Amino acid sequence: MNIDITDPHYAIKMKALQALYSVRDPELNINIVDLGLVYNIQVDEEKQSIGVQMTLSTRSCPLGNIITNHAKVAIEDELEGYQAEVELVWEPKWSYDNISAEGRTALGL
Amino acid sequence: MKPPDEHIPGLKAVLPYYLFASIGFVIFHVLLVFAAPELPLHYFQPKLLALTHLFVLGWATIMIFGASNQLVPVISETKLFSTTLPVLNLVLLVAGIPMLVGSFWAFQFTWIAYTGAACILLAIILHSFNIYKSISAGKSNIITDILHMAHAWLFITATIGLLLLINLVFPLFPEEHLHYLKIHAPIGMAGWFLQLIIGVSSRLIPMFILSRNENTKLLNITFYCLNAGLALFLIEGMVFRSFHGKYAYLVLIVAGLIAYARYIHGCYKSALRKQNDAGMRQTFIAISFILGALILLSVVLWPGADLQPNITTALGFTFFSGLVSIIIMGQTFKTLPFIIWMHITRLNTLPELMPKDLFKERWVNVQIWIYLPGLAMLLAGLLANITILLQVAAIFMLTTAIIYMTHVFYITGKLKNKQL
């Protein structure tokens, strides 16, 4: 996921993204950002809220609830005073091509 | 949109199955040590009948029931229809299996044997109903079709099994008992075990090795060829009481297996993750035993061959102890740590431990290093009729079973750890 440097919320989004690097996929043991699961981060400074749109590698992933909760916890720990909301989306469908170069290296590919 | 956590069944629908199955696996190998000298005799004998039923029911079917309660919601993208039925099913199985197996071992068929068999059949019906309702509520695809048919074959196998049990005391069938045993065993092996393994592995293997292969046309070929071959075999055997078409049915089944092998090969070729962990390596080793079983089956069915029954027994061990046990042992450590992790990890804090930290990969490697030489010795002992080799082999395999059971209990013990 890329964040435009001209984005007015660039700094906060980058912090949120950094926080999401600490959330790991339990099966692959790599973080959800490098796995390409995080699609979008939105900031509402008035409401002090961070919205995350992410997906799962499989729609019925039994670990989905845990991963999304951990994403929320990671952001709220990093950005004190902000509330995080994580929304699961299924479009575009996740594919293995979403995995970043770092993710591929971590997987030993 | 249903939240994904609805797909997680309660621990009681899954975990007790893993524990009882691992105990059944050890008991099977303890009895194998005692029965080893008699293995090369004819397969229709009390101890081998007892061992076979302990294996297929007390180890493999219990484990598969528990795992499918966890995996069917993932495969069909729905929740388990009932989480109470699995508890009742396990009670029925744990009560019924010792009754049936004990009766075979003693070769005494009283009300105990019939009660045990009835409990098992009831558990199978209830489990199949639960799986049917769960799958029907979710997305239908070729893999769910394969799972439906596998359960249908399990029901047919168990029903014929119960009738055969009655037939031992009150003759029901027009042909001799062995004729129907030759139907009961293959449809259980290919219809239930093989088909279920094909269905579940077709979904899990691509997921675990990060495969891009989505060519399910090959699985359609597998589904139709395998079930057509088995259905024709069943109809000819039961209705016409002959096996004249057995080579044609075998060709159909082998064609289905070739399509499955091509599907798995395609998955592996397009996989991002080619370096597999111990659990996946054992899964691929297990699948290779299908080829070994087919070679032995060809020998058994060779026209005009007058073979000793020990070759048929070797075929059984290649299929069950090779394919079924090794795939279950490998996949246990791909599923159980996740099941435990899901139930002990806290939602409000990031975990320090991951599922891979809940088990010992080295133990998984050790189990196969001991098991494979044991199985090789067992097959050699059977084919060459060497009793001492069979006994040493059984001890090797028992050692593996004890390591495996200890490992399963070790992982389960992590439930006490609430510090993740």
Side-chain angles (χ1 to χ4, degrees):
Chain A
M1 198 205 128
N2 292 319
I3 299 171
D4 190 341
I5 198 161
T6 61
D7 189 317
H9 303 298
Y10 177 76
I12 295 177
K13 284 186 178 181
M14 280 306 289
K15 275 192 169 181
L17 190 64
Q18 282 303 318
L20 291 175
Y21 273 101
S22 63
V23 181
R24 286 180 290 164
D25 177 276
E27 156 62 11
L28 300 173
N29 204 27
I30 66 168
N31 68 73
I32 60 172
V33 180
D34 282 327
L35 197 49
L37 296 178
V38 180
Y39 285 168
N40 193 20
I41 299 174
Q42 291 162 322
V43 178
D44 186 332
E45 284 201 75
E46 250 182 53
K47 290 182 183 168
Q48 293 272 285
S49 76
I50 311 274
V52 174
Q53 286 188 321
M54 65 172 289
T55 192
L56 299 172
S57 55
T58 174
R59 200 174 175 118
S60 56
C61 173
L63 303 168
N65 187 44
I66 296 171
I67 295 171
T68 52
N69 265 285
H70 287 163
K72 177 179 163 66
V73 167
I75 292 173
E76 289 176 355
D77 281 353
E78 180 70 25
L79 291 160
E80 222 170 288
Y82 277 84
Q83 288 278 317
E85 280 189 25
V86 181
E87 182 194 0
L88 279 178
V89 295
W90 306 108
E91 291 295 333
K93 190 181 172 190
W94 181 85
S95 84
Y96 302 124
D97 299 325
N98 290 19
I99 303 173
S100 70
E102 290 79 7
R104 285 165 193 266
T105 306
L107 284 168
L109 307 177
Chain B
M1 181 71 61
K2 289 176 185 170
D5 58 318
E6 283 191 13
H7 297 141
I8 305 175
L11 265 183
K12 64 182 180 181
V14 180
L15 191 57
Y17 283 85
Y18 277 79
L19 298 177
F20 275 107
S22 70
I23 294 168
F25 193 44
V26 171
I27 296 172
F28 167 80
H29 285 99
V30 170
L31 294 180
L32 187 65
V33 173
F34 288 109
E38 294 170 45
L39 292 183
L41 304 176
H42 196 280
Y43 50 83
F44 191 72
Q45 47 129 328
K47 287 181 181 169
L48 203 49
L49 286 171
L51 278 172
T52 307
H53 286 86
L54 178 56
F55 183 101
V56 298
L57 297 166
W59 155 238
T61 296
I62 286 188
M63 179 59 87
I64 289 170
F65 277 13
S68 49
N69 288 336
Q70 179 74 32
L71 295 174
V72 160
V74 177
I75 290 170
S76 58
E77 301 186 4
T78 182
K79 64 178 180 178
L80 196 64
F81 174 70
S82 165
T83 52
T84 309
L85 277 179
V87 178
L88 174 63
N89 291 341
L90 187 61
V91 171
L92 287 167
L93 288 170
V94 171
I97 292 167
M99 290 188 205
L100 183 68
V101 171
S103 299
F104 275 126
W105 190 269
F107 217 66
Q108 287 182 352
F109 302 99
T110 62
W111 64 270
I112 296 174
Y114 300 111
T115 308
C119 285
I120 293 163
L121 184 59
L122 182 59
I124 286 169
I125 292 168
L126 293 176
H127 175 81
S128 302
F129 172 73
N130 202 22
I131 296 300
Y132 172 78
K133 292 292 285 182
S134 306
I135 291 176
S136 301
K139 278 188 172 177
S140 175
N141 53 50
I142 185 61
I143 294 176
T144 57
D145 291 345
I146 290 173
L147 295 183
H148 274 313
M149 280 309 294
H151 283 84
W153 284 114
L154 173 65
F155 171 71
I156 295 168
T157 304
T159 304
I160 294 176
L162 179 60
L163 294 174
L164 276 172
L165 194 66
I166 297 169
N167 192 58
L168 281 170
V169 182
F170 309 102
L172 296 173
F173 292 124
E175 288 292 322
E176 61 174 19
H177 197 85
L178 275 181
H179 172 84
Y180 298 97
L181 194 65
K182 285 176 184 170
I183 299 170
H184 173 64
I187 61 170
M189 289 162 83
W192 165 235
F193 285 112
L194 191 56
Q195 188 155 216
L196 191 105
I197 287 169
I198 287 171
V200 174
S201 64
S202 298
R203 178 65 199 264
L204 293 189
I205 287 177
M207 206 166 89
F208 286 140
I209 65 176
L210 298 178
S211 166
R212 289 191 182 91
N213 188 27
E214 291 182 358
N215 180 10
T216 53
K217 281 181 190 166
L218 288 167
L219 292 178
N220 281 298
I221 296 171
T222 303
F223 177 75
Y224 290 110
C225 287
L226 188 64
N227 288 301
L230 284 169
L232 291 169
F233 171 73
L234 176 71
I235 292 165
E236 191 194 334
M238 293 301 287
V239 180
F240 301 103
R241 292 183 253 154
S242 64
F243 298 117
H244 297 310
K246 62 187 175 189
Y247 299 114
Y249 313 146
L250 183 63
V251 166
L252 272 173
I253 292 169
V254 170
L257 291 176
I258 289 170
Y260 168 69
R262 284 187 58 201
Y263 173 80
I264 294 296
H265 182 246
C267 290
Y268 190 74
K269 259 177 66 182
S270 65
L272 287 181
R273 225 180 168 187
K274 292 213 174 11
Q275 297 280 324
N276 289 305
D277 53 28
M280 286 311 293
R281 281 196 300 274
Q282 289 180 25
T283 299
F284 288 120
I285 290 171
I287 289 172
S288 69
F289 272 87
I290 295 176
L291 185 62
L294 280 175
I295 291 168
L296 282 171
L297 182 62
S298 308
V299 174
V300 170
L301 293 179
W302 196 258
D306 184 19
L307 294 165
Q308 298 298 314
N310 58 345
I311 297 181
T312 307
T313 306
L315 164 64
F317 273 100
T318 304
F319 183 86
F320 288 120
S321 294
L323 171 65
V324 178
S325 279
I326 294 176
I327 207 164
I328 291 177
M329 283 196 287
Q331 285 299 313
T332 296
F333 303 102
K334 297 294 295 175
T335 54
L336 185 59
F338 289 85
I339 293 165
I340 300 298
W341 188 84
M342 277 190 288
H343 288 275
I344 60 176
T345 195
R346 290 178 177 175
L347 294 179
N348 58 356
T349 163
L350 294 182
E352 287 177 18
L353 298 178
M354 299 303 275
K356 71 171 184 58
D357 302 312
L358 300 184
F359 73 102
K360 310 269 187 200
E361 178 121 350
R362 176 175 288 204
W363 291 13
V364 184
N365 283 320
V366 167
Q367 85 186 7
I368 198 74
W369 292 339
I370 300 173
Y371 191 78
L372 280 179
L375 182 55
M377 280 190 279
L378 187 91
L379 295 175
L382 265 172
L383 295 173
N385 202 351
I386 305 170
T387 303
I388 186 71
L389 203 54
L390 290 168
Q391 286 172 318
V392 174
I395 290 167
F396 267 64
M397 292 164 81
L398 173 62
T399 307
T400 301
I402 292 168
I403 293 170
Y404 171 83
M405 183 187 71
T406 308
H407 205 173
V408 168
F409 276 80
Y410 166 80
I411 297 168
T412 308
K414 300 282 184 183
L415 276 173
K416 291 178 191 158
N417 181 0
K418 300 286 182 187
Q419 302 307 310
L420 294 186

